[in-house]
Amino acid sequence: MSGSLNITAATVDPALLDLPWNLPLDTWPSENIASLPKGISRHLVRFANLSGYVIAVKETTSEMARGEYDMLRTLQRLDIPCVDPVAVITNRTTDDGDPLPSVLVTRHLKFSLPYRALFSQQLRPDTATRLVDALAVLLVRLHVIGFFWGDVSLSNTLFRRDAGAFAAYLVDAETGKLFDGGLSNGQRENDLEVARVNIAGELMDLEAGGRVDDELDPITVSNGIVAAYRSLWKELTGSEQFESSERWRINERVARLNELGFDIEELAIKASAEGTQIRIQPKVVDAGHHQRRLLRLTGLDTQENQARRLLNDLDSYMATMPNPNIDEEMAAHEWLIRVFEPVVKSIPRELRGKLEPAEVFHQLLEHRWYLSEQQGRDIPLAEALTSYITNVLRHRRDEATVIEPPTGTITLPVDVVEDDASSDDGVDWRELV
């Protein structure tokens, strides 16, 4: 490796120096490469093992690598879901002194997949819609902070399971720009049109390869991002006018935004000259309402829908407690140590890399609900856990529909993680997506 190698990083991992930067990325030896699914990219991207985690290495120009690195760090400070920038490496040369492209190094987002790798068989219309809805939420969040993406697409996004839905993370910020004064309507509409066209093309490509359901219409699905975006944008930023006697609508508006997963830091409320009407306008909107509540109560850091699902279960647990006036924090601690943690610890070690703990817990509750419906009785959580591990988790990672059965405290049997016997419970566990 040439001594002129230049590494720019907030915190340099010494193991970076051990990677073969003197070789073109497409010739790196297999011992350095991590076998993970990749999306489509205009640049060469490869995954590599580093200090017990995985990094994505993208060859590009020095200027673009530095610009994207800085942009990703800025987006992280603004609490935008995106990949974690690790380093920019420039001045790469071969052993013979020939120049090699600079690279941007980002940390691989655990439990995430590009849209093409999410499905082993065919993409169903409702699953494609959930992907597009997740991308619409991400685009709204970016536009709220004044970020113009310029190249919105499924390919430039990673998706993580989020309690039956998906959470979208920005991967490629190469074309992005941040405007302090916010975006004009024209800039927002430009991003939206680019998204619509790109998504249609990506789904048509899957269609040509036989990887989508016959009922999926790429145009209809891609048009869906426009409707989802505009509906959410209006809810977050639109003004609302009503009579002063209807002030309860202020709380109703806040509650709607909280249900969507957003918090309001400031409200501008203006009374009319006659004093009979009030106009409400949300000023600063942050995402993650349920995430922050769950984190405050339990220390669990999850996706927004997962947080909402776990909080529902926590609320159900509190309703069964003998003391209805128990402090919320104390109840959350008891739920964590008596319900959530025993489930997570019971997952066999070889299966723990399949799904995040919060997603496992969500799917377990759904599995329990299905079993209860089928057998016409209340299924204990420990019994449902054994069935879920044996019949679901060992075979696939399913996206689930949010359901709301109550949870009780569980005492786990010794063999709950050892039972490999097949269960003939009649439940159809084919791919739910």
Side-chain angles (χ1 to χ4, degrees), residues 327-348:
D327 180 77
E328 185 181 47
E329 282 77 10
M330 293 179 61
H333 176 70
E334 183 173 327
W335 173 85
L336 184 69
I337 63 174
R338 299 186 66 187
V339 178
F340 183 81
E341 288 182 350
V343 167
V344 173
K345 291 177 181 177
S346 297
I347 302 302

Side-chain angles (χ1 to χ4, degrees), residues 294-306:
L294 184 68
L295 185 62
R296 173 178 60 82
L297 290 174
T298 67
L300 296 175
D301 190 6
T302 69
Q303 303 293 334
E304 178 65 13
N305 287 337
Q306 291 169 346

Side-chain angles (χ1 to χ4, degrees), residues 115-116 153-156 197-206:
Y115 78 102
R116 285 176 169 268
S153 67
L154 296 173
S155 297
N156 288 337
V197 172
N198 282 345
I199 291 170
E202 289 165 326
L203 294 180
M204 287 178 180
D205 186 43
L206 290 179

Side-chain angles (χ1 to χ4, degrees), residues 89 92 166 189 255:
I89 300 179
R92 295 175 61 215
F166 293 101
E189 288 297 323

Side-chain angles (χ1 to χ4, degrees), residues 77-130:
R77 287 194 294 269
L78 295 172
D79 200 27
I80 295 297
C82 62
V83 292
D84 182 15
V86 175
V88 173
I89 300 179
T90 58
N91 296 334
R92 295 175 61 215
T93 60
T94 66
D95 291 336
D96 296 329
D98 297 327
L100 291 172
S102 298
V103 300
L104 170 68
V105 181
T106 57
R107 187 164 184 153
H108 174 64
L109 185 63
K110 195 173 182 182
F111 297 110
S112 70
L113 289 170
Y115 78 102
R116 285 176 169 268
L118 273 167
F119 313 98
S120 58
Q121 297 178 2
Q122 288 187 328
L123 176 61
R124 287 170 43 177
D126 58 339
T127 306
T129 299
R130 294 203 299 272

